[in-house]
Amino acid sequence: MLAGGVGGARFVRGVRAACAERWPARTDDATAPGSSSAGAATSADVTVIVNTGDDLWLAGVRLMPDFDSLLYALAGVNDAERGWGRAGETERVAAELREWGVGWPWFTLGDLDLGTHLARTAWLREGATPSQVAERLQRRWPLGVRLLPATDTEVDTHVRIDPSLPDAAGRDELHFQEWWTRYRAAIPALGFEQRNLAEARPAPGVVAAITGADVVLVAPSNPVVSIGTIVSVPGIREALAATGAPVVGVSPIIGGRVVRGMADACLTAIGVETDAAAVARHYGVRSAGGLLDGWLVDGTDAASVASLEEIGLVAASVPLWMRDLDTSAALAGAAIDLAARTR
Ligand code: FO1
């Protein structure tokens, strides 16, 4: 699976549940990944390739927001209401950091969450790579799936803006997290740029996961800064082109609106309409050099299925709203079924 954080987490939980239902863990295999997390035991081998473009250094620690959102959600320790961070979080350290003028006053580092950032940063300073750190963080909770950062290179996304705008204060770019959390994506983006992309390589295991997969799923995550960043790491798009597995995506747009977040601002910036079929066309059809073999849209967008099939996609409309684990699992099951139809 390719996934971003908040939007990706619900879908990944659904995939885990759908796999547990279809391919339950063998009862004699007590060591199966996820065997001790409720309802998640599956013999399926699920790898999630996680967007790292939202990552940043702040207050001396390395943050990997999408990785952490997936980690916390799959472990069941996430703040489901807010959508990011830990449940039962306190903010005592954040209040101190504001007093010291360290970090960003509009960006909250919760106390429990800071524990994760400190552990990660300590291991990075000891010489571990981000993917090795990711592996260590996952040992704490039995997730039932493997989370892999797309790359070990720091490819933090920056947003190009017009320096003459009042909020820009003369700057012609902002870190994605400042644009997203401070300005709620309201400053028109002129473009998105990932740092160090030319020298970036897929993290160990990423290419093998894609080329060795039976099915590749593209989560309903932000097509520009989440999925877009993953596939812009040199080698990942090529692995997707080469894999024998069908590649099936789920639209993050329902009835012309984003399901959550502000992906519409990102799509507008790159000239793509906020529309389920337009996102599919943006990803492109694999047989013509694009990413996808199949695409799921919501019932609201059922009218676009015929035109998507005309351009060579296997498409279907199903309920896309992930209200709870059951609806997420049903959606994941529909994506797996669509993959079978592409063969
Ligand atoms: N989102 C916010 O809207 N405000 C915050 O203060 C904030 C803090 C934060 C800290 C750690 C972390 O992992 C994520 C955090 N997020 C916060 C969420 C994050 O900015 C974004 O929603 C994602 O990167 C976009 O998927």
Side-chain angles (χ1 to χ4, degrees), residues 6 54 63 65-66 68 84 106-109 113 117 176-177 180-181 184:
V6 181
D54 294 18
L63 272 61
D66 282 5
D68 290 350
W84 48 270
W106 65 87
F107 198 83
T108 305
L109 301 176
D113 195 29
H117 308 320
F176 169 75
Q177 289 291 352
W180 189 259
T181 60
R184 316 304 309 173

